[in-house]
Amino acid sequence: MNCRKKSRFSSLIALTFLLLPAFVHAQTTSVIFERASIRIDPIPTAQSSDPKSPVEARAGVTYSVEVRGQDALRLEYIHTLNTLTDATGVMITFLAPTLIGLPALRDYTAIDAIFIGGDGSILQIAPGVVLAELEVEVMAKEPVKAFLFLKAGQVAAHQLRPHDMIVGPMFNSGPSVMQ
């Protein structure tokens, strides 16, 4: 019997070493988000015809964001929405720009939701929205490449507006063009 126990133990050790690479691979590929730094650059507003009228100057703002793929929409909630700060955000990106509504997640934290186009431009903004309390779906008016969720009040604090540009690794950001 002692020989049989040694044989089983040796078989178990051999099996463990055979499966070890699969376990290591599973650990390294299970990342569900990545971190990135983005900057939101304001697009200057047109100067009025009155030359004495001051030109409005707004500063750009930088955020450290948790970037998640579109699979995040299948989740019931994203716990980091509860811990957003003035310097952090959560971005859900899509493989290609698509017409989609804000996800109704089970999260009762008020956030500023920003709809972003394929070129990184802000298409529309839903300030102070609570995703768990959405009674009417807030649809994108144009195809979006990403949603950016910021702490409620950030849009107002930094005077973010549609057409401002988001510069980050997930967008092909070229020079700003005024239309």
Side-chain angles (χ1 to χ4, degrees), residues 36-117:
S37 180
I38 63 164
R39 189 180 70 244
I40 303 176
D41 290 337
I43 298 299
T45 56
Q47 188 172 2
S48 71
S49 59
D50 181 7
K52 294 180 183 179
S53 175
V55 175
E56 181 183 354
R58 297 183 291 141
V61 61
T62 301
Y63 290 97
S64 173
V65 295
E66 178 181 292
V67 181
R68 294 176 173 259
Q70 61 194 34
D71 290 342
L73 296 180
R74 294 186 196 149
L75 301 174
E76 290 185 9
Y77 65 94
I78 299 174
H79 74 279
T80 48
L81 293 180
N82 298 323
T83 61
L84 291 175
T85 68
D86 293 345
T88 62
V90 173
M91 182 177 288
I92 298 175
T93 60
F94 303 98
L95 297 174
T98 185
L99 281 174
I100 191 163
L102 278 178
L105 302 174
R106 290 185 185 172
D107 195 300
Y108 290 91
T109 303
I111 58 166
D112 290 342
I114 299 174
F115 296 68
I116 306 167

